[in-house]
Amino acid sequence: MRDVAIIGVGMNKKWGELWEMSMRDIFVEAALDAIDNAGVDHVDSMYVGCMSGGLFTGQEHIGALMADYLGQCPVPATRVESACASGGAAVRAGFMEVASGMSDIVLVGGVEKMNDVSGDDATYALATASDQEWEAFSGVTFPGLYAMMAVAHMHSYGTTIEQLAAVAVKNHANGSKNPRAQFPMKITVDTVLSSVLVADPLHILDCSPITDGAAAVILCPADRAKQLAKNAPVQILASTQASDTIAYHSRADLTAIESTAKAAAAAYKMSGKRPDQIDLFEVHDCFTIAEIMVMEALGLVEKGKGGPAVEAGETAIGASIPINASGGLKSKGHPVGATGVAQIVEVVEQLRGASGERQVAGARVGLTQNMGGTGASSVVHILEVM
Amino acid sequence: MRDVAIIGVGMNKKWGELWEMSMRDIFVEAALDAIDNAGVDHVDSMYVGCMSGGLFTGQEHIGALMADYLGQCPVPATRVESACASGGAAVRAGFMEVASGMSDIVLVGGVEKMNDVSGDDATYALATASDQEWEAFSGVTFPGLYAMMAVAHMHSYGTTIEQLAAVAVKNHANGSKNPRAQFPMKITVDTVLSSVLVADPLHILDCSPITDGAAAVILCPADRAKQLAKNAPVQILASTQASDTIAYHSRADLTAIESTAKAAAAAYKMSGKRPDQIDLFEVHDCFTIAEIMVMEALGLVEKGKGGPAVEAGETAIGASIPINASGGLKSKGHPVGATGVAQIVEVVEQLRGASGERQVAGARVGLTQNMGGTGASSVVHILEVM
């Protein structure tokens, strides 16, 4: 298996409600940014992570569409879907295409255009990541599912609503230093707790937003990276994925995200890195409780200790385990198919020392964790600057 | 790059209107058939080709769902989409996972449950494979697009409606020997020409049907295939893909399917096989005109000679270039995400000499061609019995 490196990263100038751009415009802006950042003049193959082009925009066949609008026909172009882990799964597909020797320069993008449908329709589209026959069918939507996860965690470990709010406060503080963030305003625990209740105990400021956006990376064989790249290349030490039951109610442990724990264990083994050798983490904080459960699944804190660790400031930039320096899904935004790719964009920029005000000092190794649904799929990448 | 073999293939007992089965049931039936056919007791990873779970069934996150219902969690499980070429693209993704060395035993399935929505909604869902902003938006659907392709071909090369009908007649004759075919009845040129006109010059018997169905294959490294397999293994000599403009009106040549021509050229090179060394072809006859244009793109006949070749019987089982011995999409059915996988199932069975009444005598090498939209993406595989 060939080693694989990332030589270019790109995103839209700003994520948010991009009314003047269609899905293809959004993708092309991010992809051109990545191509320019890499300094390559062509790509050999493309992958596009996208959760639900059909329900959000009436468009499937998204790989070929994006190859066309990026001027890259006739390269192979495939769309990858794993709900909100679509972006991470797309990077893993691109990783294997380069690792296998099939292609040398692969563009992996992720995109979602979520604001062109009503809020009700967006909620319906997102609910297709849950079990349609047993969860969505009975009327539960994602805030409801994550609210159940929060209640279970509070019941088992004494996690508090203030600790949930502390995740949002920290991520908005980080996002306030990210020019691309959709919601860069700073907030306080009081702001969160006095915001409207969406699904008890989750307030609206515990929830990631509806976002239009895209992100892209350029991959190549590691042994060609230094020759090809115009910016510091970053090696992909591990690219792993795991699945779990589609329905939350089928899990053996309602307070755990087992797919993340399993993908992380495989990634630590593949990379030869322990959690304490990793300098920063971009994780899937679709709701504040998710970040706490993911910290535990990654082995960054003991089971049940996620809430207190966040509240104590241990996950801030400059602290021992910096999590979501980008602002996370919560502040940066969560265009579902793009998120997994954007996490990698953030880590690459951090490892290059190019993150400005939100730089994690001296970062050399980073981890991304991207998940779909209530954790029916998780993708983990570990990256190291070359 | 490791060589890759197919050691198991499976399908539903019969494709059609499977009212008593949900999408997950349909997939699991085919996947268990493939696992049993391979004789393996586990898989390391899964891919699922599916075009539009969201619009057809309100379900995305299809990889994890199928891993769950197949009892395979926590294996990585990813859905791949390239419109009606989703199945072929999924096989190519699985091929690269094995070729790279990331996994040894990979299950690739394809599935679509199309009958649970109205005909209008199915037509809308299928139209998302075209350019939503320039084609679907203006009201054209796939029968209309392929009707334009037929008219262009008739104008340039004198192709006749009787030649189009001859494709359907031949494929139904083949399908009448396939117990899994949705529409196994034999038809005549007169039956086609007297059937209802859908989009001039295409009659309803020029069009493939709306189908519920799934298919699956099991891949492994070629050097382990003979040891693992309980039935004759088949090597994947080439797995190639190409893209073209999403919109039909953007093509330089309206009578050609360039993505197929380019994927085929790459496949002939990768495999070292010329078309005259290939014993049978399963191609994407979503409409009768498609089979004629694909024959030309694959280089099986000269440009413009596809219609006369079909009419002269050159593509029947037992003739010089047997095409769609399975009955093709036309008679076997076309569950869009499953078709590319099912084409490979047919070729593997043929190369094993296990195709009963429709066996192509002495077949050792076969080719599959699967495409999305009006040819914005094409996937070609060349297989040889080991």
Side-chain angles (χ1 to χ4, degrees):
Chain A
M1 195 156 76
R2 299 201 292 185
D3 288 334
V4 180
I6 300 169
I7 55 170
V9 295
M11 271 181 71
N12 304 106
K13 291 181 194 73
K14 194 169 173 68
W15 278 3
E17 297 181 14
L18 305 181
W19 300 111
E20 72 290 3
M21 297 171 86
S22 70
M23 179 167 69
R24 60 191 73 180
D25 300 328
I26 293 170
F27 179 87
V28 166
E29 183 179 80
L32 289 176
D33 190 32
I35 288 171
D36 181 56
N37 186 261
V40 294
D41 59 3
H42 75 288
V43 303
D44 299 323
S45 180
M46 286 176 55
Y47 289 90
V48 182
C50 182
M51 175 179 161
S52 193
L55 291 169
F56 283 121
T57 66
Q59 179 76 63
E60 310 279 10
H61 212 177
I62 294 162
L65 170 75
M66 298 309 178
D68 182 12
Y69 274 74
L70 196 59
Q72 295 299 321
C73 293
V75 303
T78 301
R79 179 257 193 121
V80 167
E81 183 266 324
S82 197
C84 301
S86 298
V91 173
R92 187 166 174 274
F95 171 86
M96 287 190 283
E97 178 145 352
V98 176
S100 72
M102 180 73 97
S103 294
D104 280 347
I105 303 179
V106 175
L107 184 147
V108 183
V111 65
E112 213 81 47
K113 176 63 167 142
M114 302 174 72
N115 281 294
D116 288 359
V117 295
S118 69
D120 278 0
D121 286 348
T123 300
Y124 171 79
L126 291 168
T128 65
S130 68
D131 188 327
Q132 204 276 336
E133 295 184 15
W134 293 95
E135 292 180 322
F137 179 81
S138 62
V140 69
T141 60
F142 270 91
L145 287 164
Y146 275 89
M148 290 187 233
M149 295 163 86
V151 169
H153 206 270
M154 293 164 88
H155 176 78
S156 293
Y157 300 109
T159 302
T160 67
I161 53 173
E162 289 78 9
Q163 290 166 351
L164 298 178
V167 173
V169 171
K170 183 260 300 172
N171 288 351
H172 277 270
N174 294 350
S176 73
K177 299 170 184 164
N178 186 348
R180 293 158 173 160
Q182 179 176 13
F183 289 111
M185 76 285 192
K186 291 184 186 175
I187 56 174
T188 66
V189 169
D190 277 352
T191 331
V192 179
L193 298 185
S194 60
S195 70
V196 65
L197 199 61
V198 174
D200 194 6
L202 301 179
H203 297 78
I204 198 161
L205 287 173
D206 287 294
C207 309
S208 60
I210 298 288
T211 310
D212 304 330
V217 299
I218 309 286
L219 310 181
C220 78
D223 62 8
R224 291 189 57 196
K226 288 200 173 166
Q227 167 219 334
L228 281 170
K230 73 178 191 188
N231 291 292
V234 168
Q235 190 173 339
I236 301 179
L237 300 181
S239 178
T240 61
Q241 184 174 345
S243 59
D244 199 352
T245 64
I246 187 83
Y248 175 57
H249 61 246
S250 304
R251 311 274 166 81
D253 180 351
L254 294 176
T255 67
I257 300 181
E258 272 301 300
S259 62
T260 289
K262 285 177 176 150
Y268 296 142
K269 186 175 172 195
M270 187 172 177
S271 67
K273 300 286 182 190
R274 298 185 311 269
D276 63 4
Q277 296 173 306
I278 298 172
D279 303 309
L280 81 156
F281 302 83
E282 286 287 312
V283 310
H284 199 92
D285 61 320
C286 48
F287 298 89
T288 50
I289 183 61
E291 182 164 317
I292 289 171
M293 291 174 73
V294 167
M295 290 168 63
E296 300 172 1
L298 292 174
L300 308 184
V301 294
E302 273 178 55
K303 190 77 192 288
K305 303 293 188 192
V310 176
E311 203 165 37
E314 295 173 22
T315 58
I317 295 170
S320 55
I321 39 173
I323 296 181
N324 284 332
S326 68
L329 287 52
K330 183 67 201 77
S331 165
K332 186 175 58 179
H334 183 26
V336 287
T339 282
V341 182
Q343 292 176 323
I344 289 181
V345 172
E346 175 71 14
V347 169
V348 167
E349 290 181 344
Q350 288 278 354
L351 301 185
R352 286 172 169 175
S355 295
E357 277 191 88
R358 65 183 190 284
Q359 181 67 44
V360 174
R364 293 196 54 81
V365 181
L367 177 149
T368 63
Q369 178 271 347
N370 181 207
M371 68 185 173
T374 51
S377 53
S378 289
V379 183
V380 171
H381 284 93
I382 298 179
L383 311 175
E384 183 170 39
V385 68
M386 290 179 74
Chain B
M1 196 158 77
R2 300 201 292 184
D3 288 333
V4 180
I6 300 168
I7 54 171
V9 295
M11 272 180 70
N12 305 106
K13 291 181 194 72
K14 193 168 173 69
W15 278 4
E17 297 181 15
L18 306 180
W19 299 112
E20 73 287 4
M21 298 172 85
S22 70
M23 180 168 68
R24 60 191 72 179
D25 301 327
I26 292 169
F27 179 87
V28 166
E29 183 180 80
L32 288 176
D33 190 32
I35 288 171
D36 181 56
N37 186 261
V40 293
D41 59 3
H42 74 287
V43 304
D44 299 324
S45 180
M46 285 175 55
Y47 289 89
V48 183
C50 181
M51 175 180 161
S52 193
L55 291 169
F56 283 121
T57 66
Q59 179 75 64
E60 309 278 13
H61 211 176
I62 294 161
L65 169 75
M66 297 310 177
D68 183 11
Y69 275 73
L70 196 60
Q72 294 299 320
C73 292
V75 303
T78 300
R79 177 257 193 122
V80 167
E81 183 266 322
S82 197
C84 301
S86 297
V91 173
R92 188 166 172 274
F95 171 85
M96 288 190 282
E97 179 146 352
V98 176
S100 72
M102 180 74 97
S103 294
D104 279 347
I105 303 179
V106 175
L107 183 147
V108 182
V111 65
E112 212 81 47
K113 176 66 167 140
M114 302 174 73
N115 281 295
D116 287 358
V117 296
S118 70
D120 277 0
D121 286 348
T123 300
Y124 171 79
L126 291 168
T128 65
S130 68
D131 187 327
Q132 203 278 335
E133 295 185 14
W134 294 94
E135 292 179 322
F137 179 81
S138 61
V140 69
T141 60
F142 270 92
L145 287 164
Y146 274 88
M148 290 187 235
M149 296 164 84
V151 169
H153 206 270
M154 293 163 87
H155 176 77
S156 293
Y157 299 109
T159 301
T160 65
I161 53 173
E162 288 79 10
Q163 290 166 353
L164 298 178
V167 172
V169 171
K170 183 259 299 171
N171 288 351
H172 277 270
N174 293 350
S176 72
K177 299 170 183 163
N178 186 348
R180 295 157 171 160
Q182 180 176 12
F183 288 112
M185 75 287 192
K186 292 184 186 176
I187 57 174
T188 66
V189 169
D190 276 352
T191 331
V192 179
L193 298 185
S194 60
S195 70
V196 66
L197 199 60
V198 174
D200 193 7
L202 300 179
H203 297 77
I204 198 162
L205 286 174
D206 287 294
C207 309
S208 59
I210 299 290
T211 311
D212 304 330
V217 298
I218 309 286
L219 309 181
C220 79
D223 61 10
R224 291 189 57 196
K226 287 199 175 168
Q227 168 220 333
L228 281 169
K230 72 176 192 190
N231 291 292
V234 168
Q235 189 172 339
I236 301 179
L237 300 182
S239 177
T240 62
Q241 184 174 347
S243 59
D244 199 352
T245 64
I246 188 84
Y248 174 57
H249 60 247
S250 304
R251 310 275 166 82
D253 180 352
L254 295 176
T255 66
I257 300 181
E258 272 301 299
S259 63
T260 289
K262 284 176 177 152
Y268 296 142
K269 187 176 171 193
M270 187 174 178
S271 66
K273 299 287 181 189
R274 298 184 312 270
D276 63 4
Q277 297 173 305
I278 299 172
D279 302 310
L280 82 157
F281 303 83
E282 286 287 311
V283 310
H284 198 90
D285 59 322
C286 48
F287 297 90
T288 49
I289 183 62
E291 182 164 316
I292 289 172
M293 291 174 74
V294 167
M295 291 168 63
E296 299 173 3
L298 292 175
L300 308 184
V301 293
E302 273 179 56
K303 191 78 190 291
K305 303 292 187 192
V310 177
E311 203 165 37
E314 294 173 21
T315 58
I317 295 171
S320 54
I321 40 174
I323 295 179
N324 285 331
S326 68
L329 289 53
K330 184 67 202 75
S331 165
K332 186 175 57 180
H334 183 27
V336 288
T339 282
V341 182
Q343 292 177 323
I344 289 180
V345 172
E346 175 71 14
V347 169
V348 167
E349 291 181 343
Q350 289 277 353
L351 301 184
R352 286 172 169 176
S355 294
E357 276 191 89
R358 65 183 190 284
Q359 180 67 44
V360 174
R364 294 194 56 81
V365 181
L367 178 148
T368 63
Q369 177 272 347
N370 180 209
M371 68 185 173
T374 50
S377 52
S378 289
V379 183
V380 171
H381 284 93
I382 298 179
L383 310 176
E384 183 171 37
V385 69
M386 290 178 74

